[in-house]
Amino acid sequence: MKRDLSIETKSLRRLFKGIPGKGDVVALDQVDLEVYDDEIFGLLGPNGAGKTTLIKILCTLLLPTEGQALIKGLDVVKRASQIRRIINLVSGGETPGYGILSVKENLWFFSQLYGLPRDFAKDRIAKLVDQLELQDYLNTRMSKLSTGYKQRLNLARGFVNDPAILFLDEPTLGLDVLSARHLRTLVKDWIRTGGKTVLLTTHYMAEADQLCDRVGIINRGKILACDTPQRLKTKVTGGATWKIEITPNLSELESVKSIPGVVGLSTTDNIETGVTTLKLVLEEESVMSDLLSKIRENGSKVLNMGKSEPTLEDVYISLVGTGME
Amino acid sequence: MLPKATPREELLINLRAAYARMWVRLRGSNREITGLVAEIGLPILTIGAYVILYRAIGLPPTAGAAVIIGGAMIAFWTNVLWNMSSQWFWERESGNLEMYLVAPVSRMSVLLGMAMGGSVNTSIRALGIVLLGIFVFQVPFQLADPLSIGLVFVLTLVALYTMGMLFASIFMLYGREAWNTANLLQEPVYFLSGAYFPRIYAPVVPFALQAAGSLIPMTIGLDAIRRLAINGEGIATVWPHILALIACTLILFPLARRALNYMESLGKKEGRLTLRWQ
Ligand SMILES: Nc1ncnc2c1ncn2[C@@H]1O[C@H](COP(=O)(O)OP(=O)(O)OP(=O)(O)O)[C@@H](O)[C@H]1O
Ligand SMILES: [Mg+2]
């Protein structure tokens, strides 16, 4: 069954004026993206990769330099006002609203930016307050809310017009573990109501893995890979992900990284035990013998090793972490 | 596919947004009663100084009445300069601009709501200033034609707040420099508008000063209201004022719209709209 396209970009490019004399910053470069109805799509990428820029273009806040971006088949440049009725954007870390107004008053205000009739707005707000567990703070001024509750209010704003497409730019920034989980459930439930699309960015790999139907990995304005988390794991890592525990840590990490066949490498130190865990993505298993001798040359002892299930983080590291550019 | 909003729907959304923005303004600034007291009390002190001065040099009591009206009107200028003009600027600083830009409302209706809220708010304060001024300084007024006073007053506010709408976009684009300019403008305008003079369009005031003052709709409105409320003149003598105020609005409104559109498209092109302090 062919699903309807919700978001589409064609050779999208966006430049920013850089520091004088240094040339332009390429924030997005030839981005072709397709996101479908009923899909939660995640954008992963390092700081400055272009995620927010892409979202801003799709939300009609920024013009593309070249190429095209379409929302439900409508061009974001020419049909902005039509598009704005069916989208909403929540940026983590932003706290739109008026500090002097209560949570309830702010929500009512947000609803009026979409022209919701009084009773209709009231019902919707009651529902959102319930879903985001804001009941106890209804009459609290926004300026007195904690960061996390401000973020919840911001999220409630995102849902206030029941958009067809919701853009979430690092929505769980500043939320505690339980609240973040709660939000993920909320987004999943909301998508199930049908005819919805979510495009989100996050720096939490586990979050993307759990939440997203598909993810795109973006670095330096280019989409490096785009697929379901499961397929990315097998496709990119080839399934060969290794976990090696060593002590002490490698004195020359670079020498290990440069071994031919090592696609990705990340290290985690356990300060208490002095044990370092290396996570490696290898092109093939035969690389292992070179690797072990390099570790020995470094004067480190192997405590434990084994194959591990690849995670989205492994995919990310192998695409972004070892200089794929 | 996606249906386009009908003109009626479009109008309704924008009216609701404007109303909501006005409501926020009223709600926000009247929560704390101390603010209200200060905003009425402080101007009264300035006005008092002039009234006493004019009495001391032997001017007729009408000079005091003129200063009270001037002081009340200055409240609108301050409001336009500090609240209206810096509206987008603060909305951007607080992260609200993005919210407004992503919503299907025209930015003009948000500004309109802000202007309505600001003028209602300031009217409450201005009324307080006038009543308190009359009570304390016992100055004479001659309300021969209250309806005309109302008309001129409304036209003055419309022109003044339209000017504020224009300033709002300029402020936003030029950020800090505009801020400093406003700072610079405040005192000269107090002077140019003649708010604290017994009369601005008097032979003793140099013509250049009169002309410069007339660039601000407030000066024109102020002079008309003084004629109507103090000299007891009728609408016949303030026709030029009324026409000038209408002309101001008709010139300023499209300019405000243009500036806003220009600001928006420039922001979208350069990516400056949601950046802070530049
Ligand atoms: N308004 C702007 N003016 C100039 N350069 C900009 C502007 N916005 C973004 N950039 C540049 O474009 C590039 C992409 O930035 P973007 O904000 O899209 O990254 P991001 O992937 O969202 O990063 P993060 O994870 O840190 O949020 C960066 O090099 C950034 O400096
Ligand atoms: Mg970002």
Side-chain angles (χ1 to χ4, degrees):
Chain A
M1 190 188 84
K2 181 105 175 61
R3 284 199 289 170
D4 284 336
L5 268 178
S6 202
I7 301 169
E8 188 182 8
T9 70
K10 296 175 184 165
S11 309
L12 194 64
R13 204 171 141 80
R14 171 72 215 200
L15 305 178
F16 286 111
K17 277 215 179 67
I19 311 155
K22 275 250 174 127
D24 289 344
V25 176
V26 184
L28 292 174
D29 197 9
Q30 302 295 320
V31 171
D32 292 297
L33 188 71
E34 295 188 335
V35 182
Y36 299 92
D37 267 355
D38 298 316
E39 196 169 42
I40 303 180
F41 188 93
L43 268 179
L44 302 178
N47 296 132
K51 304 179 295 294
T52 301
T53 305
L54 179 55
I55 284 192
K56 281 195 176 153
I57 290 177
L58 294 171
C59 287
T60 74
L61 299 179
L62 197 64
L63 296 178
T65 308
E66 275 169 47
Q68 213 185 8
L70 305 170
I71 297 287
K72 300 267 180 203
L74 302 174
D75 189 305
V76 294
V77 180
K78 296 180 200 126
R79 312 291 284 276
S81 58
Q82 230 174 324
I83 291 171
R84 284 174 186 162
R85 290 170 62 209
I86 55 151
I87 61 167
N88 211 331
L89 162 69
V90 176
S91 305
E94 293 284 358
T95 50
Y98 293 92
I100 197 156
L101 300 187
S102 71
V103 166
K104 197 160 87 187
E105 290 165 341
N106 268 301
L107 282 171
W108 174 78
F109 177 66
F110 300 150
S111 76
Q112 294 312 292
L113 294 180
Y114 294 87
L116 302 194
R118 176 190 277 270
D119 291 335
F120 189 76
K122 229 169 129 185
D123 289 348
R124 169 124 352 126
I125 289 169
K127 213 175 105 201
L128 286 172
V129 163
D130 220 35
Q131 285 173 333
L132 286 150
E133 297 178 345
L134 283 162
Q135 301 91 336
D136 296 345
Y137 297 90
L138 269 183
N139 296 313
T140 308
R141 283 188 200 182
M142 187 180 96
S143 57
K144 293 192 176 147
L145 294 178
S146 70
T147 311
Y149 275 90
K150 276 188 194 141
Q151 177 64 353
R152 288 185 197 204
L153 177 60
N154 193 12
L155 284 161
R157 183 187 56 77
F159 287 106
V160 85
N161 63 325
D162 194 29
I165 306 177
L166 180 59
F167 295 91
L168 301 171
D169 197 358
E170 302 186 37
T172 49
L173 195 74
L175 291 186
D176 67 51
V177 178
L178 286 178
S179 309
R181 179 191 286 186
H182 184 78
L183 169 68
R184 290 195 287 271
T185 318
L186 197 71
V187 170
K188 277 204 152 159
D189 288 346
W190 184 71
I191 268 280
R192 279 199 204 103
T193 60
K196 309 285 182 202
T197 309
V198 172
L199 190 149
L200 66 91
T201 75
T202 179
H203 288 296
Y204 307 114
M205 300 297 141
E207 178 169 286
D209 202 352
Q210 190 209 336
L211 193 58
C212 299
D213 299 304
R214 287 192 306 141
V215 298
I217 294 179
I218 181 170
N219 192 20
R220 304 193 177 201
K222 281 200 162 74
I223 304 241
L224 303 177
C226 182
D227 214 327
T228 65
Q230 202 48 49
R231 277 212 291 272
L232 278 179
K233 286 177 209 167
T234 39
K235 211 158 73 180
V236 175
T237 67
T241 308
W242 293 81
K243 209 165 153 180
I244 307 177
E245 286 177 9
I246 57 167
T247 186
N249 196 358
L250 297 168
S251 46
E252 291 208 31
L253 201 61
E254 288 308 312
S255 68
V256 174
K257 264 192 190 165
S258 62
I259 296 173
V262 173
V263 186
L265 170 68
S266 74
T267 66
T268 338
D269 294 317
N270 185 329
I271 300 164
E272 273 173 35
T273 59
V275 174
T276 301
T277 308
L278 303 179
K279 277 194 107 181
L280 291 140
V281 182
L282 304 179
E283 236 166 49
E284 44 185 313
E285 298 195 359
S286 60
V287 180
M288 190 49 87
S289 62
D290 287 351
L291 190 79
L292 289 175
S293 57
K294 213 24 147 237
I295 290 174
R296 234 167 278 133
E297 272 173 40
N298 260 273
S300 306
K301 210 167 76 190
V302 174
L303 301 175
N304 200 347
M305 64 180 285
K307 250 184 156 162
S308 71
E309 275 299 302
T311 62
L312 203 52
E313 189 166 331
D314 300 327
V315 175
Y316 180 90
I317 289 164
S318 65
L319 286 175
V320 177
T322 53
M324 275 285 293
E325 65 277 357
Chain B
M1 190 115 247
L2 198 61
K4 256 192 159 150
T6 62
R8 202 186 107 88
E9 280 174 326
E10 196 106 15
L11 182 69
L12 212 61
I13 289 186
N14 281 300
L15 285 179
R16 285 214 165 95
Y19 173 76
R21 187 64 191 84
M22 174 180 90
W23 183 85
V24 166
R25 182 91 194 101
L26 291 176
R27 189 86 188 180
S29 16
N30 294 316
R31 268 237 148 115
E32 265 129 20
I33 199 77
T34 44
L36 189 67
V37 171
E39 280 160 24
I40 294 175
L42 293 179
I44 280 292
L45 291 180
T46 313
I47 290 168
Y50 283 100
V51 173
I52 291 164
L53 173 75
Y54 291 158
R55 267 187 201 160
I57 60 173
L59 289 185
T62 48
V67 173
I68 288 176
I69 295 178
M73 294 303 279
I74 275 288
F76 290 99
W77 173 250
T78 315
N79 183 252
V80 162
L81 202 59
W82 293 115
N83 288 311
M84 259 323 272
S85 305
S86 53
Q87 140 106 345
W88 291 134
F89 182 85
W90 284 121
E91 300 289 13
R92 182 181 69 194
E93 294 298 303
S94 60
N96 283 341
L97 189 62
E98 190 173 277
M99 161 181 89
Y100 285 123
L101 289 172
V102 90
V105 292
S106 129
R107 257 53 62 190
M108 275 309 259
S109 47
V110 180
L111 272 181
L112 195 67
M114 177 76 183
M116 292 190 304
S119 49
V120 171
N121 240 336
T122 311
S123 294
I124 297 170
R125 287 150 176 77
L127 187 67
I129 291 172
V130 169
L131 291 181
L132 194 65
I134 292 175
F135 176 73
V136 175
F137 304 111
Q138 302 287 326
V139 291
F141 279 99
Q142 290 186 32
L143 301 182
D145 191 354
L147 221 59
S148 304
I149 296 178
L151 175 73
V152 171
F153 177 69
V154 170
L155 287 177
T156 308
L157 288 202
V158 170
L160 196 57
Y161 279 85
T162 310
M163 190 175 202
M165 286 162 88
L166 172 62
F167 282 177
S169 307
I170 298 174
F171 254 63
M172 189 169 148
L173 272 178
Y174 296 103
R176 216 176 233 157
E177 295 122 68
W179 198 253
N180 294 335
T181 313
N183 235 329
L184 282 175
L185 272 182
Q186 183 158 337
E187 296 296 330
V189 164
Y190 286 179
F191 182 69
L192 286 181
S193 67
Y196 296 120
F197 301 163
R199 280 179 71 178
I200 170 103
Y201 296 116
V204 288
V205 180
F207 178 75
L209 195 61
Q210 290 185 20
S214 302
L215 289 177
I216 311 149
M218 192 184 71
T219 311
I220 303 170
L222 180 58
D223 188 64
I225 293 174
R226 280 172 172 172
R227 283 166 194 261
L228 293 170
I230 300 171
N231 304 358
E233 293 173 29
I235 193 158
T237 55
V238 295
W239 267 119
H241 298 74
I242 290 177
L243 289 179
L245 287 171
I246 293 173
C248 268
T249 308
L250 291 181
I251 294 168
L252 289 170
F253 191 80
L255 278 181
R257 242 187 119 123
R258 285 271 283 278
L260 192 60
N261 286 341
Y262 176 74
M263 171 202 87
E264 235 185 294
S265 63
L266 192 74
K268 272 171 129 187
K269 226 184 282 161
E270 297 187 355
R272 297 205 316 198
L273 276 190
T274 41
L275 292 184
R276 314 258 155 102
W277 267 128
Q278 16 159 24

